[in-house]
Amino acid sequence: MSDGPFDVFALIIAVIAFIIAIKAFSQAAELRRRLSSLEATFHAQRPVQPPRIPADVWAEASATTSAAPPPLVPQAEARAEARAEAPPPLVTEDVSPPPLAASTEADAPPPLPAPAPGFEERLGTRWVVWIGGLALALGGFFMVRYSIEAGLVGPGVRVFLGGVFALALLGAGEWSRRKESISNIAALPIANIPAILTAAGTAVAFATIYAAYALYGFLVPATAFVLLGLVALGTLAAALLHGPALAGLGVVGAFVTPLLVSSGKPDYWALYIYLAIVTAASFGLARIRLWRWLAVTTIAFAVLWIFPGLDTGDLQVAPHAFHVIAGFVLAALLVVCGFMFGPTVEDGEIEPVSSGSLGAYLFGAMLIVLSSAHADLALIAFAVLVGATLLVAWGAPAATGALGAAAATVFVVFAEWAVRANPDMLVLPGGPIAGIAPTAIDSAVTLHLVMAAIFAAGFGVAGFLAQGRSNSAIIPVVWSVAGVATPIAILVALYARIAHLDRSIPFAILAVLLAAAFGAATEALARRETRPGAMISTALFATGTLGALALALTFALEKGWLTIALALMSLGTAWISMQRPIPFLRWLAAIFAGLVTARIGYDPRIVGDAVGTTPIFNWLLWGYGLPAASFWAASLFLRRRADDAPLRMVESAAILFTALLAFMEIRHFATGGNMTDTPSLLECALQVCVMLAMAIGLERLRLRSRSVVHNVGAVVLTAIGGLISVFGLLILENPLLWRTDIGGAVFNLLLLGYALPAVLLLLLSYAVAGERGKAYANTIAGGALLFALTYVTLEIRRFYHGPILSAGATTGAEQYTYSIGWLGFGVVLLGVGILVNSERARLASAVVIALTILKAFVIDMSTLTGVYRALSFMCLGIVLVAIGWLYQRILFRRQVAPPPAPQTSI
């Protein structure tokens, strides 16, 4: 066997040890430096230096305190010296120095802070020590390598010398530690020589034992495993004296040892018993020294050791379950703050390491359940840990965050169980062949049902009873979230697993019972006195009530009714917010509206291909109409209390669903139920008319509600109607450009597609006049004029060409008719403007007549011949003269002032 693994392992262990040492001691060095600066400042302000301290007194004081310098003299001697007018002694308590004389205060300059260590000091006191320790470890490794290459000594002697060198380094580290304590030498923590020597010794010990096992075969796997484990545990124990560097080296070595020592058939029981001992030692050390990083590192390694064996066909569930249970128990005993032997924490604080440690082992238990295909023993172990999480979080608020992990893992377990029995839920319809999926009833169903009942009751009851137990607001909220979300998630998973997402009256009854329980909890919490987080928790239980009712409707009705049920939940939530003014209920109504919107985004036809072919009265009416009505009613309830973000979200959903109802119904009607067909002139005409009509309605409604949503909605619908009218009616579906059968002579698509939009645009322009900008209203009025003139033109075209406007040539009579028609249309507009005194109508008349004049001089003069050309210009001239007379005599008639009366002399 080559020497490569020995060198690589040795180098890795050494480098890891010293990197951890450097990082762990850096903060301690900064604190010591600041403490020295404060001591120097204190001594500089005293007029008389205190007497010198005997070495034995300092050593004795150093052993009893580490927070501040020891007293210079015993307390009795300090009092006697004070009576003898000697300066008072320096005590360990945090007290201010005695006041100095006025002259002293005036003459003594302010103390300067201690300078930071320079390059030379860093080089001589720190870097040299680090490099020296690393050199010692590597020197031992290279000496062994040289002896191997040169053939100086045999394998047994090499291993023996390696062991001797390791013991020498360990002995030197312990000797130097005791020597510093006896000789009163204050070592720099960041370059602690005893700790570095001990770390180098443990690294050499690891390498020596591994070489004896892996390179030379002197040790059987069991012996090597035990020796490496003892070195790792000894390193952790030495960390109590030498600091965090050895702790890091020990925990890495302890958890890496099983990777170094392997056998043909893995023994998981031996592995996990060993890891339990290592975890206990590491957690104990982390608890004694309050090293959070050590606890986190231990948990990370422990979770990684769950994975071996999970991907094999013969998974050994029992030892894996023992590993997660043992780790969970040790974490609860030693890591969780405020529980059993864990550290203390402020009341009401959720501590991340406490919650994360329990969550990590829950994650491991979940992996075992999923990898074992929901074996009974794995399920039982998982259930035990979930229950233990509830108990620990109940007794230690610092671990309340683990409730989220417990709820999430419970949902994952049951959801995976449901999908395992229904693989067709992961693919599109028509994917799996019928009959190949597992049956809904098997041996594991009973155990899962029992676990589901226990989990739902445990989370729900605990979430309710936990209210009012803490002075912190976040803790009862976390309990209520877990108590509401977990039963609902379990119910949905069971429904998918057993009922295969079909109608199920029994599950609907269970959902109603769950809603009743949440409703009773809501009423009970609403009657209690106000406590931190009580308002949010009450709202969450109310949310659970409505969510369970929505599930009941979903379970009892067809799949398409889910959209309707969620929309009705929004209405119900808004109504409940009137009876119980809980702020979160308003947001809940908005959340339901968002869920319904997301639902239609997934399947706009609500029920897929089962929409039906009946116009209007089909699934689109129920799937869009009922949610729209629910959102409008919900907005009325919400508006009674405030105009806030939830109200605007619900109002937006109401406008959206109303517009979508119209759009989808028109699409369904125009395509005969085949909603994938291309658009047509009929569809574009109906879309424009409906959009403009809705815009007019919102313009009127916003004047009463003053809602920003109604305001923006009216503009958006107007813009949509304008875009469809321009690009759809005038370009893409224009019958003058494309071959389209428009129907009869008068009642045809032109009336629907151009005349009616012109009228609606005119009404819309009057609806916004004086309420919006003048340019906005005039633009809409211009659109009305454009569509009216287009209708007149296309109707004349229909008279000459029949229902297909794009066929046939344009004759002189047709051109003359266009001029007469435009001129007559302008005269009619002028008459209307005079009768109703509308400046806008008169300006529209002027525009039409101007276009007629332009057509006469540009088109008629070049295309018309004979009598048509003469008649065109004659009629145009007569009309223009008549218009001028009307303006002079009626609109702008000037009164002639009577002549002044002649003056008579008296």
Side-chain angles (χ1 to χ4, degrees):
M1 185 177 296
S2 65
D3 300 332
F6 174 81
D7 297 334
V8 173
F9 170 73
L11 185 60
I12 290 175
I13 292 296
V15 172
I16 288 176
F18 287 98
I19 288 176
I20 293 177
I22 294 171
K23 187 174 181 179
F25 289 144
S26 60
Q27 295 180 349
E30 181 66 19
L31 293 176
R32 286 296 183 92
R33 188 183 67 81
R34 293 182 180 180
L35 182 60
S36 300
S37 176
L38 292 176
E39 290 178 350
T41 302
F42 185 77
H43 285 289
Q45 293 178 349
R46 295 184 60 84
V48 181
Q49 294 295 329
R52 186 177 182 85
I53 311 168
D56 54 348
V57 175
W58 172 267
E60 181 180 357
S62 300
T64 58
T65 179
S66 61
L72 303 180
V73 293
Q75 196 68 18
E77 295 179 10
R79 294 196 184 100
E81 194 169 333
R83 287 193 297 268
E85 296 183 354
L90 177 66
V91 295
T92 61
E93 298 176 354
D94 186 12
V95 296
S96 302
L100 304 178
S103 60
T104 305
E105 292 179 356
D107 298 337
L112 297 176
F119 173 78
E120 183 179 5
E121 181 180 355
R122 293 176 184 271
L123 178 64
T125 60
R126 301 181 183 182
W127 298 349
V128 171
V129 178
W130 302 336
I131 298 173
L134 181 61
L136 282 174
L138 294 180
F141 302 153
F142 293 149
M143 179 61 70
V144 174
R145 181 176 181 177
Y146 171 75
S147 66
I148 295 173
E149 293 175 350
L152 299 178
V153 294
V157 178
R158 301 170 195 164
V159 172
F160 174 76
L161 293 178
V164 171
F165 185 59
L167 292 176
L169 289 174
L170 293 174
E174 179 62 17
W175 178 83
S176 61
R177 183 188 69 83
R178 295 188 179 187
K179 188 67 176 178
E180 287 182 356
S181 176
I182 295 174
S183 61
N184 194 22
I185 299 176
L188 291 175
I190 198 171
N192 192 295
I193 294 176
I196 291 177
L197 291 175
T198 307
T202 54
V204 173
F206 269 115
T208 302
I209 296 174
Y210 179 73
Y213 158 73
L215 298 181
Y216 309 121
F218 292 155
L219 302 176
V220 297
T223 304
F225 183 80
V226 171
L227 291 177
L228 289 174
L230 290 175
V231 172
L233 293 176
T235 305
L236 289 175
L240 287 171
L241 300 175
H242 293 282
L246 283 181
L249 180 62
V251 72
V252 171
F255 281 101
V256 170
T257 294
L259 288 178
L260 304 178
V261 181
S262 60
S263 59
K265 185 178 181 180
D267 187 351
Y268 288 104
W269 276 111
L271 169 65
Y272 289 136
I273 290 175
Y274 163 77
L275 291 180
I277 297 173
V278 171
T279 302
S282 183
F283 281 166
L285 178 59
R287 170 63 186 90
I288 294 173
R289 300 299 295 268
L290 295 179
W291 288 338
R292 292 162 57 98
W293 65 269
L294 181 59
V296 173
T297 305
T298 304
I299 294 169
F301 276 115
V303 172
L304 290 176
W305 272 111
I306 298 174
F307 288 93
L310 291 182
D311 56 345
T312 60
D314 55 345
L315 172 62
Q316 299 182 25
V317 177
H320 281 79
F322 167 78
H323 176 56
V324 294
I325 292 176
F328 185 95
V329 171
L330 290 173
L333 293 177
L334 299 173
V335 176
V336 175
C337 297
F339 186 79
M340 299 299 289
F341 307 108
T344 58
V345 71
E346 294 184 5
D347 185 28
E349 179 184 353
I350 298 180
E351 205 274 321
V353 177
S354 301
S355 302
S357 61
L358 302 184
Y361 287 106
L362 284 171
F363 173 76
M366 178 194 72
L367 291 180
I368 297 173
V369 172
L370 301 183
S371 301
S372 64
H374 294 250
D376 291 349
L377 180 59
L379 286 172
I380 293 173
F382 176 72
V384 169
L385 291 190
V386 172
T389 301
L390 293 177
L391 293 177
V392 174
W394 184 271
T400 306
L403 294 175
T409 53
V410 166
F411 173 72
V412 170
V413 166
F414 280 92
E416 195 272 345
W417 180 61
V419 173
R420 183 185 294 272
N422 299 279
D424 55 321
M425 290 193 298
L426 298 179
V427 296
L428 295 175
I433 301 175
I436 66 170
T439 58
I441 305 299
D442 54 27
S443 59
V445 171
T446 302
L447 180 59
H448 280 82
L449 290 178
V450 173
M451 287 179 55
I454 295 175
F455 286 156
F459 276 93
V461 173
F464 172 74
L465 296 178
Q467 305 305 312
R469 296 184 67 249
S470 175
N471 294 325
S472 173
I474 186 62
I475 291 178
V477 170
V478 173
W479 275 103
S480 59
V481 169
V484 171
T486 306
I488 292 179
I490 292 174
L491 183 61
V492 171
L494 292 179
Y495 167 71
R497 172 63 172 81
I498 297 175
H500 299 275
L501 301 180
D502 291 330
R503 294 178 64 242
S504 175
I505 300 301
F507 275 100
I509 295 174
L510 288 177
V512 171
L513 294 177
L514 183 60
F518 285 152
T522 303
E523 286 297 320
L525 293 177
R527 290 193 297 266
R528 291 185 180 181
E529 61 179 355
T530 303
R531 296 278 295 176
M535 188 69 71
I536 299 178
S537 298
T538 305
L540 289 171
F541 277 98
T543 303
T545 304
L546 298 174
L549 289 176
L551 288 178
L553 294 176
T554 305
F555 296 160
L557 304 173
E558 297 291 342
K559 297 178 182 178
W561 289 97
L562 175 60
T563 304
I564 301 173
L566 292 176
L568 292 176
M569 289 300 101
S570 179
L571 173 60
T573 306
W575 180 80
I576 293 176
S577 69
M578 294 292 299
Q579 312 303 319
R580 293 287 186 271
I582 302 173
F584 184 73
L585 289 179
R586 300 176 64 85
W587 280 104
L588 182 59
I591 291 173
F592 278 124
L595 292 176
V596 178
T597 304
R599 169 69 176 84
I600 64 168
Y602 170 74
D603 186 5
R605 294 177 297 176
I606 306 297
V607 289
D609 296 330
V611 175
T613 58
T614 305
I616 307 300
F617 298 99
N618 48 52
W619 249 107
L620 297 174
L621 179 62
W622 320 122
Y624 285 95
L626 289 179
S630 298
F631 295 146
W632 281 113
S635 66
L636 293 178
F637 287 127
L638 295 177
R639 180 167 290 280
R640 294 180 182 179
R641 291 196 175 272
D643 184 359
D644 53 4
L647 170 64
R648 294 169 185 173
M649 293 174 64
V650 174
E651 286 180 338
S652 300
I655 296 174
L656 175 64
F657 271 79
T658 304
L660 289 177
L661 171 64
F663 176 84
M664 298 296 290
E665 285 286 11
I666 292 172
R667 179 79 176 148
H668 182 273
F669 172 75
T671 59
N674 188 10
M675 302 180 68
T676 59
D677 289 351
T678 57
S680 61
L681 177 61
L682 173 63
E683 181 179 350
C684 290
L686 291 174
Q687 298 287 8
V688 170
C689 292
V690 171
M691 291 298 110
L692 294 178
M694 291 180 59
I696 294 172
L698 283 179
E699 290 289 352
R700 296 298 184 185
L701 180 60
R702 77 179 184 88
L703 298 179
R704 299 172 53 189
S705 64
R706 297 298 176 183
S707 170
V708 64
V709 175
H710 296 161
N711 185 14
V712 175
V715 176
V716 171
L717 290 177
T718 302
I720 294 174
L723 291 175
I724 299 176
S725 61
V726 172
F727 292 99
L729 296 177
L730 297 181
I731 301 177
L732 299 178
E733 301 298 334
N734 192 336
L736 192 61
L737 303 177
W738 312 100
R739 184 178 179 86
T740 304
D741 188 350
I742 63 172
V746 178
F747 298 99
N748 49 38
L749 290 179
L750 299 178
L751 187 67
L752 180 64
Y754 298 92
L756 187 56
V759 174
L760 292 172
L761 285 170
L762 182 62
L763 295 176
L764 181 59
S765 68
Y766 279 102
V768 301
E771 299 295 335
R772 297 190 185 273
K774 190 174 182 180
Y776 184 81
N778 290 337
T779 302
I780 298 175
L785 178 62
L786 174 62
F787 270 82
L789 189 60
T790 303
Y791 172 70
V792 172
T793 304
L794 294 179
E795 275 292 347
I796 295 174
R797 182 79 175 176
R798 169 66 179 79
F799 177 77
Y800 283 95
H801 294 269
I804 306 298
L805 304 184
S806 59
T810 303
T811 63
E814 183 180 348
Q815 285 288 2
Y816 175 73
T817 308
Y818 288 143
S819 299
I820 295 299
W822 287 16
L823 194 59
F825 179 57
V827 171
V828 171
L829 288 176
L830 179 60
V832 173
I834 294 173
L835 291 176
V836 301
N837 194 22
S838 172
E839 181 183 6
R840 183 181 297 171
R842 296 194 299 268
L843 291 176
S845 171
V847 171
V848 174
I849 293 174
L851 290 175
T852 306
I853 295 172
L854 182 63
K855 178 181 180 296
F857 284 94
V858 175
I859 298 177
D860 293 354
M861 185 177 292
S862 60
T863 59
L864 295 180
T865 59
V867 67
Y868 289 114
R869 179 186 296 179
L871 290 175
S872 174
F873 279 89
M874 290 172 61
C875 291
L876 179 60
I878 293 172
V879 170
L880 292 177
V881 172
I883 292 172
W885 182 85
L886 288 173
Y887 271 87
Q888 292 178 10
R889 298 292 181 179
I890 298 177
L891 293 177
F892 300 103
R893 184 174 57 182
R894 296 180 179 179
Q895 299 291 337
V896 178
Q903 298 180 359
T904 59
S905 59
I906 301 177

